[in-house]
Amino acid sequence: MSMFCDQCEQAANGTGCTKIGVCGKTPTASALQDLIIYQLKGIGYLAHAARGLGVADDDVNHYTLEALFTTVTNVNFDTERLSHWVHEGARFRDLAAERCREGAQKAGVAIDESAWPAPATFTPATDMDQLMQQAERLAPVPGLANPDHPEDIRSLRQLLIYGLKGMAAYADHAYLLGHADDSVFAFVHKALAALNDPDLTVDDLTELNMACGRVNIRAMEILDEAHTTRFGHPEPTSVPTALRAGPAIVVSGHDLLDLEALLRQTEGTGVQVYTHGEMLPAHGYPELRKYQHLAGHFGTAWQSQQKEFDGVPAAILFTTNCIQKPRESYKDRVFTCGLVAWPGVAHVTDRDFSDVIRKARELGGFEAEDGKTLTTGFARQAVLGVADQVIEAVKSGAIRHFFLIGGCDGSKPGRNYYRELVERTPNDTVVLTLACGKFRFNDLELGDIGGIPRLLDIGQCNDAYSAIKIAEALADAFHCSIGELPLSLILSWYEQKAVVILLSLLSLGIKGIRLGPTLPAFISPNILDFLVENFDVRPIGSAEEDLATILSSPVDANV
Ligand code: FSO
Ligand code: SF4
């Protein structure tokens, strides 16, 4: 069985995975994810039509987000769970169709169901072999990259689907915290519905992609609201990497709600909880850091997990991506929850972490060990709280330039660029960072400028919203646009959440972004030319040369 997937930066040979995913995704899992996307185009069509008739359905909204999120890189590798999503898709499609009929009845209009596109009437087979046959039949080239579409159209359609996946991840985190905005669901359904139209032009698709970026800013804003309402505004925090003696749970992923539930359930049990990867910024939130047994941070970014978890005497909990195939040396102590799943790995439901706690006790835990400290918690409120000091430092020349060096980490050697770049930044510059790419350099001691740390960790990837707010506030203070600030954006991408953040930055008109370690496989040469011409997007070069170009740029003199 073949497959085709080009949605992440690891796409085999820079074009796409065709035999098995570099991430470990099997052709069966890939086909099931394709079916989920196929069905979502139908659900989107019906939900968009129902909304137009005045009826929105919250269950359909939530299914849409979670089904998209399930197909993001390094989330769900379990074919049993994926086939469950396909079958659930048929149920939610029926619900969306019902809402459509209800809306039509209320509005007194007739609907022509024979005009509904094929994905809106698709019935999945019950048996896996037949499901695979359906997947093969529906996607002549698996992966839904229709070979009949011209290359640029295909490229923009993939870009939109990947952007929607990334946005859905952020909107789902917010939804689970009780925060949502119908404008986000409305756009996701509208865009999925549009993808049924085989005649979309480059202009139509460009507009949809830009809108995806704009709506994602709202999705990240809602998530920021959800996090800060529930957990307070992050505060600058020193996080130990030292280990305490005793039973331990290491928590990875991005879901702060899962972490909070685990902290509550482990309180007073003697089990220490450590963050891993994208969970590091959790330490900055007052309502999470108040737990004395939130002991510190373990390890670095996602791609090092197999090495870092090898034989670790602790239970490991994955709350979201990025999970990799667990080695036998630690598979028995890995747990997943929420949407993340790996075949044969224990899955926690309803945030009942008792099995995880039991496993942590059984394993005995770490011996005490010394470690360094990392800092985090420089989200928008903390940075804007010292805005006057920052503005003064820029005016006096103490701060010459800001770098936003953020995004995902990954295993390509080219990613050393980001460390080299940070190491070379002059002492009169400030580095803002976010997401797991920071682990390339967040152990560096960069010192401070008049009390302002030179390395500021804004948070997780979704905290790109905070970064945008900080940039907007600086631009306001200097009466200029973000593009006129002495600020350079140097991004590393890996998966679809980074794709949607890039769309968000482009939708704000931000130009001159440097992107690495390689450019997306699904971007065609013409679309790349468009991005270069209109947004001055450039691939990263060498750290030394890029830095020299940035610091000699006339934009330095603008403020
Ligand atoms: Fe990293 Fe993975 Fe947060 Fe991504 S852990 S790579 S962009 O999931 O979402 O930054
Ligand atoms: Fe390949 Fe990335 Fe797709 Fe996995 S998600 S199959 S590594 S392109």
Side-chain angles (χ1 to χ4, degrees), residues 417 420-421 540-548:
Y417 164 94
E420 263 177 57
L421 190 79
I540 57 168
S542 84
E544 195 178 357
E545 277 169 20
D546 283 358
L547 200 58

Side-chain angles (χ1 to χ4, degrees), residues 170 254 278 302 321-322 407-409 435-437 461 494-495 497-498:
Y170 296 137
H254 305 70
E278 272 283 71
W302 67 271
N321 50 344
C322 286
C408 326
D409 208 347
C436 60
C461 44
Y494 172 61
E495 42 90 338
K497 286 189 257 176

